[in-house]
Amino acid sequence: QVQLVESGGGLVQAGGSLSLSCAASGRTFSSYAMAWFRQAPGKERVLVATVSFSGGVARYADSVKGRFTISRDNAKNMVYLQMNSLKLEDTAVYYCAAQLGSWWSDKLRVDTWGQGTLVTVSS
């Protein structure tokens, strides 16, 4: 029902910033809560941040709280992840995800995954 394509990954120095984008297709985008996940090589995929269907409620993993900001623009069918003060441990493939509903729930299935975009933080 919705398709997602991430972009904006790349190489950045520790302490620097990077902004990721997720473009969604379909006219039902505003019916989905959205999230960013990440997965480092050899590790499990973990939740980074979520935002409610209207953009009014955002939540973050403790590891990124105060450094990352998730936002969305429903008029443009876009979700963003602004990453500041990047650390080496932030290196991962970052995935955009959609879940039908007003607020994100980690108890429910992810409806749609993006293909991922690689973020590499260097020393």
Side-chain angles (χ1 to χ4, degrees):
Q1 198 169 14
V2 63
Q3 296 184 17
L4 308 173
V5 179
E6 302 96 332
S7 63
L11 178 65
V12 62
Q13 290 186 339
S17 298
L18 198 65
S19 182
L20 305 182
S21 298
C22 174
S25 63
R27 60 184 180 90
T28 61
F29 173 68
S30 61
S31 299
Y32 291 82
M34 302 295 296
W36 287 95
F37 289 75
R38 68 186 183 188
Q39 186 171 24
K43 297 185 178 180
E44 71 274 14
R45 187 174 299 186
V46 297
L47 183 64
V48 174
T50 69
V51 64
S52 63
F53 76 114
S54 64
V57 178
R59 296 187 174 94
Y60 302 90
D62 288 341
S63 59
V64 306
K65 195 170 298 181
R67 300 188 297 120
F68 290 12
T69 302
I70 187 172
S71 61
R72 69 190 295 165
D73 186 340
N74 287 346
K76 297 180 178 179
N77 280 15
M78 295 289 290
V79 183
Y80 307 97
L81 185 68
Q82 178 64 47
M83 305 183 293
N84 298 324
S85 301
L86 283 162
K87 304 174 180 179
L88 293 177
E89 53 264 42
D90 294 320
T91 295
V93 176
Y94 284 72
Y95 297 89
C96 185
Q99 185 181 79
L100 186 63
S102 298
W103 300 274
W104 188 270
S105 174
D106 56 10
K107 313 299 183 184
L108 303 176
R109 65 186 290 269
V110 174
D111 292 307
T112 306
W113 292 98
Q115 85 288 348
T117 185
L118 177 63
V119 173
T120 302
V121 183
S122 64
S123 61

